[in-house]
Amino acid sequence: MSVKEKLKKVLIEDLNLEDVEPEEIEDDMALFGDGLGLDSLDAVELVVIVQKHFGVEIKDMEEGRPAFQSVNTLAQYIEQRLA
Amino acid sequence: MRMAIQGIGVSGGFGRGVEALRAALQTGTVEVQQGCVERNGGTDIFPAYRASIDGLDEFIPKRALRRIDHFSKMTLLSACLALKDAALLEGDCSRMGVVIASGYGALKTTFDFLDSYLDFGYSCSSPTHFSNSVHNAAAAHVSIQFKATAPSLTVTQFEMSVPSALLSAQQWLAEGRVDQVLFGAIDEYCEVLRYCRKQFFGLGEQGPLQPFSFDKQSAVVGEGAVFFVLTRADENAAYGCIDTVTLGNHLVCPVKLPQDDLLIIGADGHKECGRWYAQAFKGRETAAYAPLYGSFPAAVGFDLAVAALSLRDRTFYASPELSGAATSVVTLHRKLAEEKLVCLKFGPGGDYGLVRLSI
Amino acid sequence: MSAAVPIVITGLGCLCGAGMNLAECLESMFRNERNPHPPLRFSTDHPVSYPVLELRDEFRLPLDDQETVYARTSQLALAAAFEALADAGWDEESLRGKRVGVCIGTTVGCALNCDDFYRAYKDGVDPEMGVIERFLRSNPAAVIARQLKLDGPNQTVVNACSSGTDAIGLGASWLRAGACDIVIAGGADELSRVTYAGFSSLMITDTEACKPFDIKRKGLNLGEGAGMLILESEAVRGAKKARGYMLGYGSACDAYHLTAPRPDGAGLKQAMYEAFAAAEVTPEMISFVNAHGTGTPDNDRVESRVLSEVLPDVPFVSTKGYTGHTLGAAGGIEAVFTVACLRRGELPANIGFSAADPELSGAPVIENTRIDGNIAMSESLAFGGNNAVLILGKGDA
């Protein structure tokens, strides 16, 4: 499973997005605000998700913010950190 | 200041809604569910009164519930039912205070949060679980759901949570800070609670719950949520009115019970509290309804709901379980005339809460 | 909302990272000292260590070895209550026969945060029940009532970080309603590994000493302690001097988000205006504000916005640089400080602040500052969107 696919799966599971299918999350869809509709509490949960499922630590929100734009940017961030 | 009860929403071991509670009162029986914990290769089976949250999505879209735990779901369901009962579900809630009483708060979520760091390390501590484990999270979810921007209060002090919180609800209405109070009492079951109760009470948890066997441990674990819509009593009450709320300690200054009032005692099979009831109720016409919803600190709220229903139905309902009961315990449903009802709850240390209600 | 009668405050008590009693706290704050350090009372495997403000010394309660039966939060509550009662000239004997209410705010004091117990349970060991028994004995308001053999209304408020402020407001209303003669009101909270883990997970803790209202603020430092006031009816007070007055209380809920404050601060404003109305004061009469000022980006932004709108040019200070964020205790400790600063006619510098944030509308006091007025405000913002405000008045002793 690619990082993007795994990301979509764990987003749905760990953020309880029961009404969303992985296919419905587009790679460049905004995670926060109008796109997937996540908020500030999801953002900090997302830090835990990335740590728990990918072993990648995000130290603070300033570091996380650019990565948290979309599945694309987050997957890219994770891949870079794992490389 | 008197408070009028305008709506009730309830969910517990007997089912959901005021009519389910009324049916349980009329028949005097509730089928106790079976709890089950798998641990250390063994299976622990025990009786438990569990509350269902089915039907919550009739009121609140699933998406809005995605981060909300079982405790707050029980809370929201009963809150919605109470507002519906009071015809306020679609109304303006900006002058409605929210007051919530819970003996233990969201127990399951408290342990879910510990799971997050015990299982995966501190850097994986879940902020969502943590936020939901904070005791006023349920009140926050209620306020957000109904846009209730008036004052909000959560009280946690075991058996005294409900009478104590009621004191503040009464104060808010008296001071004109709010026009209504959405008052709730909630406690939830979890596996660790079962472990603790088993360690403390052993076979005393096996039931059946016998509230009048004061010197015997017979408590059966329960959970549930009950909400009331309260207003000042200058409006007509849909159910009845709460006249006074008194807290004190029986050891420091013995509780004074009005002689002619009918008593609903919060005895729930806890031997440690039983002795206080035995001392206090002497000869008064008394009932106890814990066998309909089980034993948990917020069950005082369920006693209040029964009192409110009794006032509405002009019926003093029979006690469902009479083992060990003195002759003054009410054994048959009987018509209520002008009598007042008193709900009395004791904590293990002799601290008590007394809530007096009338039509 | 009806106007409230002023309630006399006859005693103050407080202990926290700034000092073991009120006098010590004031001394260290006006010397602009603080001592954040990594937690010593517990450890975690967290890769980052966040400084906290722990009590500097062990403390002993004047009890016969009974302190071991209560959890630390309740011990803190008792210590501050004893100090405040002594300040007001009360002891267990003289309280006998009085109707005494107890209203205490807390967070940890009501949470079953027994992670060692739970770890053992998960590991399949049957843990001993001592820690649970202690929890069940340790409800803060109930402990004070039981320890002093009190008969009267009793409430433990768990409104997260505004608990202490709410408890004082609610306790005062019991006196006004004639439900009791004396109220012991305030807040108490201990530092706990559980809240430490929780606040780090929310990413609102600073890895350095906190910097309330500063441009480089990164978050809060957790703290621990308790702050208590003794409130009395005029009948019981007699000729006793007033340490201060509790003039008004207001509270409102954002109804916006579980953890984030409402960006426009409407709930905080509503709470302020309710408190002004209750105290029958106008904003011009406020001489200073003890702000919530946790040092988190969100809190300080909303708070400074509302302060600049409602109370422009009124000096404000966050004392959390000295005490850390003591959660349910914060409102109690800060109300005590507010009354003490009115009495002293001086505010301590907002420690941790060095450069203004252009995004914020105002700046706190940067040095110890003389103040002249007789009325001040203490405010708290909390999880769940709670906002609570107290209007406090200067006493005559």
Side-chain angles (χ1 to χ4, degrees), chain B residues 17-92:
Chain B
V18 176
E19 291 315 311
L21 176 59
R22 189 160 176 260
L25 282 165
Q26 281 172 334
T27 60
T29 53
V30 163
E31 202 180 323
V32 186
Q33 296 102 306
Q34 213 172 54
C36 170
V37 174
E38 309 266 354
R39 183 166 174 264
N40 291 351
T43 305
D44 176 19
I45 305 275
F46 52 94
Y49 295 82
R50 301 294 301 277
S52 156
I53 46 168
D54 291 347
L56 181 56
D57 46 11
E58 288 169 29
F59 298 102
I60 301 172
K62 234 180 169 170
R63 184 69 188 259
L65 294 169
R66 74 182 165 93
R67 233 170 15 203
I68 293 180
D69 63 8
H70 177 256
F71 184 89
S72 288
K73 281 178 181 159
M74 282 200 301
T75 300
L76 283 168
L77 176 59
S78 292
C80 289
L81 292 169
L83 287 171
K84 189 178 173 190
D85 193 35
L88 275 171
L89 203 49
E90 307 297 330
D92 172 15

Side-chain angles (χ1 to χ4, degrees), chain C residues 246-326:
Chain C
M246 163 51 202
L247 301 175
Y249 162 60
S251 68
C253 186
D254 283 349
Y256 172 76
H257 190 266
L258 185 57
T259 53
R262 213 180 129 114
D264 65 4
L268 179 57
K269 259 184 269 182
Q270 189 182 323
M272 278 184 195
Y273 282 115
E274 192 192 11
F276 293 153
E280 291 187 317
V281 301
T282 55
E284 302 74 56
M285 293 161 75
I286 305 294
S287 58
F288 74 88
V289 178
N290 186 309
H292 191 55
T294 54
T296 67
D298 280 354
N299 176 84
D300 293 4
R301 187 185 310 115
V302 173
E303 214 184 348
S304 71
R305 173 177 179 169
V306 173
L307 285 173
S308 72
E309 270 177 52
V310 181
L311 297 165
D313 306 320
V314 173
F316 67 92
V317 61
S318 163
T319 45
K320 287 197 174 63
Y322 301 102
T323 64
H325 189 359
T326 57

Side-chain angles (χ1 to χ4, degrees), chain C residues 8-285:
Chain C
V8 62
I9 299 166
T10 55
L12 303 171
C14 148
L15 71 169
C16 60
M20 298 303 290
N21 53 51
L22 176 57
E24 271 187 39
C25 291
L26 293 174
E27 220 174 282
S28 72
M29 289 197 298
F30 282 99
R31 279 202 309 260
N32 306 137
E33 286 172 8
R34 62 168 162 175
N35 182 29
H37 54 69
L40 301 173
R41 295 187 51 255
F42 56 82
S43 61
T44 75
D45 68 3
H46 207 286
V48 188
S49 171
Y50 299 96
V52 296
L53 285 121
E54 285 177 325
L55 247 53
R56 296 168 184 201
D57 299 307
E58 289 300 312
F59 64 106
R60 274 196 64 79
L61 295 167
L63 306 172
D64 311 324
D65 284 333
Q66 291 189 49
E67 56 261 50
T68 48
V69 306
Y70 297 133
R72 184 172 172 90
T73 296
S74 291
Q75 295 179 37
L76 292 165
L78 276 174
F82 285 142
E83 185 190 347
L85 283 168
D87 188 34
W90 293 109
D91 61 17
E92 194 182 317
E93 276 312 300
S94 56
L95 285 173
R96 187 88 53 248
K98 302 276 186 295
R99 294 175 309 153
V100 186
V102 184
C103 197
I104 308 296
T106 190
T107 60
V108 180
C110 284
L112 199 42
N113 283 343
C114 48
D115 56 357
D116 287 330
F117 173 93
Y118 185 54
R119 184 187 286 114
Y121 173 84
K122 278 166 73 81
D123 289 346
V125 180
D126 283 349
E128 303 241 347
M129 300 307 289
V131 57
I132 306 294
E133 287 168 0
R134 196 181 63 176
F135 171 75
L136 294 172
R137 276 195 300 268
S138 293
N139 190 265
V143 162
I144 292 176
R146 192 184 315 138
Q147 201 59 51
L148 292 163
K149 301 189 181 62
L150 305 176
D151 184 55
N154 190 283
Q155 186 160 106
T156 297
V157 174
V158 284
N159 272 6
C161 309
S162 68
S163 302
T165 302
D166 286 310
I168 294 166
L170 295 166
S173 75
W174 296 347
L175 277 178
R176 291 196 185 100
C180 46
D181 308 311
I182 299 168
V183 176
I184 303 170
D189 250 321
E190 70 190 89
L191 261 173
S192 137
R193 182 161 50 204
V194 179
T195 39
Y196 181 86
F199 278 89
S200 4
S201 78
L202 286 161
M203 301 189 100
I204 50 170
T205 41
D206 201 325
T207 51
E208 298 166 9
C210 67
K211 304 174 265 297
F213 300 107
D214 188 83
I215 185 167
K216 288 186 183 152
R217 68 189 186 282
K218 286 261 165 55
L220 53 82
N221 298 150
L222 285 172
E224 64 176 349
M228 298 287 162
L229 308 176
I230 307 301
L231 311 173
E232 296 185 26
S233 68
E234 284 300 330
V236 168
R237 174 205 179 184
K240 206 182 286 181
K241 298 251 187 203
R243 296 277 184 244
Y245 293 91
M246 163 51 202
L247 301 175
Y249 162 60
S251 68
C253 186
D254 283 349
Y256 172 76
H257 190 266
L258 185 57
T259 53
R262 213 180 129 114
D264 65 4
L268 179 57
K269 259 184 269 182
Q270 189 182 323
M272 278 184 195
Y273 282 115
E274 192 192 11
F276 293 153
E280 291 187 317
V281 301
T282 55
E284 302 74 56
M285 293 161 75

Side-chain angles (χ1 to χ4, degrees), chain A residues 11-57:
Chain A
L11 278 177
I12 289 169
E13 279 170 9
D14 288 18
L15 299 178
N16 288 323
L17 302 165
E18 288 169 34
D19 52 344
V20 180
E21 294 297 325
E23 309 78 68
E24 294 175 58
I25 306 179
E26 288 162 30
D27 291 355
D28 58 355
M29 184 193 257
L31 294 179
F32 293 84
D34 287 342
L36 200 54
L38 304 185
D39 67 7
S40 58
L41 185 50
D42 293 309
V44 279
E45 195 67 48
L46 199 48
V47 172
V48 174
I49 290 172
V50 171
Q51 163 90 37
K52 201 159 102 184
H53 295 281
F54 300 94
V56 169
E57 191 200 348

